[in-house]
Amino acid sequence: MAGFARVHQPAVVVTILETYCYGRAIIMGARRGHPAVRVAGVQHAPANANQMFYRFLPRELTGSDAAPLPERFLLHSSIVYDALAAAGVEAPRRCLLGAPKFEGLRIWADRRRNGRSDLVRALGLPEGARLALVVTTIFPEESQRMVGIAVAAAASTGSVLLIKPHPLGP
């Protein structure tokens, strides 16, 4: 990335908002190759409690050892928008683009908290049905194994299995 940025000197680099090594390497390489470049990070997945991608520690946001973060965060979830605000990312850096399919996750979570029976009725299931949700990954083999385990577990517990496929999955 540094070589590309040095040769082409882009004004902006848009990358996935990823704090694993991939996203950080793109940001660092772009800035190393062309220090004036601005980086926009696009949220690539919904955030959840198991993925702390968007919950930065204060030391990651400021100081000499700060994580290489984009100048602008392009977000499709108010959940992540709020998490970044709580972490101290300034409002001008957070841009909520909106995507109803992910905002719906918050609505479902609220429905579960506020009235599980509404969700069960909306799905056409009997009251008291046990629900199990499987969210697949981008990796087909891993997803297939995960769904297989979930099917067996749901059958042994009498649960209704709901599967949310990854948007890029088969």
Side-chain angles (χ1 to χ4, degrees):
M1 187 66 202
F4 175 87
R6 192 176 305 107
V7 170
H8 298 285
Q9 298 191 351
V12 176
V13 168
V14 178
T15 183
I16 57 169
L17 178 53
E18 176 69 85
T19 58
Y20 281 139
C21 58
Y22 316 108
R24 291 181 185 213
I26 290 171
I27 295 170
M28 291 171 67
R31 290 181 179 152
R32 185 173 295 126
H34 183 51
V37 71
R38 295 183 51 81
V39 179
V42 178
Q43 179 188 348
H44 75 290
N48 64 54
N50 297 322
Q51 297 174 315
M52 304 305 276
F53 300 153
Y54 308 109
R55 296 184 185 211
F56 301 106
L57 300 173
R59 68 176 172 74
E60 290 184 295
L61 293 172
T62 59
S64 60
D65 65 342
L69 300 175
E71 282 77 27
R72 183 64 58 108
F73 294 84
L74 306 176
L75 309 168
H76 55 68
S77 167
S78 62
I79 298 167
V80 175
Y81 185 90
D82 295 343
L84 286 171
V89 175
E90 306 87 7
R93 293 178 64 193
R94 294 176 281 128
C95 180
L96 185 59
L97 305 175
K101 65 181 177 180
F102 292 115
E103 289 305 307
L105 294 176
R106 175 176 268 180
I107 293 167
W108 277 46
D110 290 343
R111 279 187 181 169
R112 182 171 186 257
R113 255 191 313 276
N114 299 330
R116 182 184 179 281
S117 60
D118 289 344
L119 175 60
V120 170
R121 234 182 311 185
L123 293 172
L125 299 172
E127 190 63 41
R130 297 179 79 175
L131 304 178
L133 174 65
V134 176
V135 181
T136 65
T137 70
I138 194 170
F139 306 106
E141 296 83 15
E142 178 183 301
S143 292
Q144 188 175 14
R145 282 192 304 272
M146 187 169 47
V147 168
I149 291 167
V151 165
S156 70
T157 62
S159 299
V160 175
L161 185 61
L162 305 173
I163 300 174
K164 166 66 173 93
H166 189 281
L168 299 178

